[in-house]
Amino acid sequence: MSKFIFITGGVVSSLGKGLGAAALAAILQSRGYTIRLRKLDPYLNIDPGTMSPFQHGEVYVTDDGTETDLDLGHYERFTGVASRRTDNITTGKIYSSVLSKERQGDYLGATVQVIPHIIDEIKAFIVSDTDDADFVICEIGGTVGDIESLPFLEAIRQLRNDLGHENTLFMHVTLLPYIAAAGEIKTKPTQHSVKELLSVGIQPDILLCRSERPIPEDARYKLGLFCNVKPTRVIEANDLSTVYEAPIVYHQNGLDKAVCDYFKLEAKAPDLSAWQHILDRIHNPEGEVTIAIVGKYVQLLDAYKSLRESLVHAGIANKVKVTLNWVDSENLDLLERSLTGVHGILVPGGFGERGAEGKIQAIRFAREENIPYFGICFGMQLAVIEACRSLLGIKDASTTEFGKPCTPVVGLITEWLDADNLSKRQASQNLGGTMRLGSYSCLLAENSKAKSIYQSATIQERHRHRYEVNMTYAKALEGAGLYMVGVSPDNALPEVVERRDHPWFVAVQFHPELKSKPFDPHPLFVSFIKAAIIQERLI
Ligand code: GLN
């Protein structure tokens, strides 16, 4: 049976619970254990798919086509274990499931209530589809004391009784603020937060304490005393120079030992050499390249979380530091100045007309100035529009997404092959659920740059988009030097375009950034950064 580790957060949000969960999972893996990671989100949306990136950051998409919280991206990047539908639960999903059961009469006339029905549903989700992993690590979103997280806390409290102390561990992530005037680290907010947890029947077993400074022995003792936690289970978590330091530092600070001791496991020592190698590369780059990312959400870097990480991974692979220049695509006046001198230009995924003209101009600049260009999703659609407008003379070439009369070189396609089945979507469908989501196959052409980069003729990549490039322009675009070298297996949907008259110009309809890992960097990002290094030497 799996051991369940429940992670709650206290004092303030944004403490890095997700990172803590991911790093703990990575260390346990390196001790030879199997893991599953999941996130319980207290918000009422069914999933984050319809939320603005400004509010919620990136929407992470799994192979099975679920739109999830960006913490699942951390989980995959740290462990290599692919997340799936059952790994992200929201209050919305729970209620939706309970309400549909109620309509079907499954509750046999009972009054449907939070306790037991909602809580039972949460518990059933938590213990389902675990693959019998040695550890199931569940992060509870939000901060203890929030009204919304109460049902989740009640569910894990009950699970401790259902599954037994020996199979469940509560880890609480908190903050120990440093008060400069007193010259001291303060434990009081953590004491209060643990009190709050105790009031709902949860006694934490481990405290993971975020702190700017080392935690002095007396503070550790005090925390142990007031929070009923052994001082050896008060684990320090200082600020890190990079998130990839977390497995090594948390191990040094005793996190995995505390977990193994709690469960009375005689685990083999962890082998963290792969993480050490990653750190050495990050801390000792042999060069530096600058990449401009032209987007609309540049003020909120969490909106491009996986993208940023993928570029870090490609830097690690190429032994260079990748500096990112965030360029606001709405600021047309500054655009060209911001792009001059960069070693690569990237237009990431995006939605809506606002800022699109700036992105098109950036693509044109990259094409004309022979600067390596990487287009992702919207960045591919706009690359096709740019080629149609500038090279084929189709002045009103555009996408139907903008809702204006145009020559629709990008449009809504309402059918596509999902594995072997035909999936359909209707233009009038709800916003949630009208996208092509999740992993689809793509065939790469012989002699294409993409095929030589992937070293494979068939690839699987994750998608998240409503619109598709119109295949009927393939021949004309070839005449303009833009080749559709990747297509869906039924030859209906373009997946990859590239130029042959340019040092590096590749654009893809999918999101390769969702599959890159520090120890397994994505080949497209690695190749793009390699091209940027060549560009850097040229200037
Ligand atoms: N807005 C485009 C579409 O829906 C691109 C989406 C994206 O870049 N993820 O097709």
Side-chain angles (χ1 to χ4, degrees), residues 525-538:
F525 282 92
V526 175
S527 175
F528 174 57
I529 293 302
K530 200 172 273 167
I533 295 171
I534 296 170
Q535 177 74 10
E536 194 261 338
R537 289 188 189 136
L538 285 179

Side-chain angles (χ1 to χ4, degrees), residues 231-249:
T232 51
R233 293 186 185 159
V234 176
I235 310 291
E236 176 173 310
N238 294 131
D239 297 344
L240 305 168
S241 63
T242 149
V243 290
Y244 299 122
E245 223 176 341
I248 291 179
V249 171

Side-chain angles (χ1 to χ4, degrees), residues 459-476:
I459 55 166
Q460 265 78 38
E461 290 284 6
R462 298 184 193 171
H463 289 250
R464 181 171 186 257
H465 55 104
R466 281 194 188 90
Y467 300 86
E468 311 274 357
V469 169
N470 190 335
M471 199 67 170
T472 50
Y473 290 90
K475 265 269 147 304

Side-chain angles (χ1 to χ4, degrees), residues 266-456:
E266 297 276 330
K268 72 172 174 99
D271 174 7
L272 295 169
S273 51
W275 292 102
Q276 192 55 52
H277 174 73
I278 287 164
L279 277 193
D280 292 344
R281 283 281 183 98
I282 292 178
H283 289 143
N284 304 297
E286 292 171 9
E288 180 170 352
V289 291
T290 303
I291 303 296
I293 301 187
V294 186
K296 195 166 67 175
Y297 313 113
V298 290
Q299 303 90 324
L300 181 75
L301 298 186
D302 261 2
Y304 301 108
K305 187 91 199 138
S306 297
L307 183 72
R308 281 162 58 209
E309 296 305 323
S310 304
L311 288 160
V312 171
H313 306 160
I316 294 172
N318 283 292
K319 300 191 185 164
V320 291
K321 176 171 190 281
V322 179
T323 301
L324 303 183
N325 227 352
W326 297 93
V327 179
D328 182 352
S329 58
E330 288 187 82
N331 200 339
L332 292 178
D333 297 338
L334 279 179
L335 197 67
E336 197 158 317
R337 202 171 341 138
S338 321
L339 298 178
T340 305
V342 301
H343 310 121
I345 295 176
L346 193 154
V347 173
F351 293 84
E353 188 171 16
R354 201 155 53 82
E357 282 312 311
K359 294 178 190 177
I360 291 175
Q361 282 185 28
I363 296 167
R364 180 173 184 163
F365 186 78
R367 179 175 60 74
E368 291 181 341
E369 302 294 321
N370 284 324
I371 302 169
Y373 173 70
F374 192 5
I376 294 180
C377 206
F378 207 29
M380 168 172 137
Q381 298 173 354
L382 296 177
V384 169
I385 292 172
E386 192 278 321
C388 286
R389 287 187 190 173
S390 312
L391 302 171
L392 295 179
I394 311 173
K395 291 282 171 261
D396 68 342
S398 191
T399 162
T400 53
E401 178 171 0
F402 301 161
K404 290 188 176 156
C406 67
T407 302
V409 293
V410 179
L412 194 67
I413 297 229
T414 49
E415 293 186 346
W416 68 96
L417 276 183
D418 173 358
D420 296 323
N421 306 311
L422 194 63
S423 293
K424 281 183 191 273
R425 63 187 151 187
Q426 267 119 35
S428 58
Q429 238 166 301
N430 288 334
L431 271 189
T434 55
M435 293 215 226
R436 180 145 82 107
L437 285 169
S439 186
Y440 286 85
S441 299
C442 158
L443 309 181
L444 298 174
E446 235 8 87
N447 302 324
S448 63
K449 186 184 237 115
K451 187 178 166 207
S452 74
I453 292 172
Y454 274 98
Q455 299 278 307
S456 170

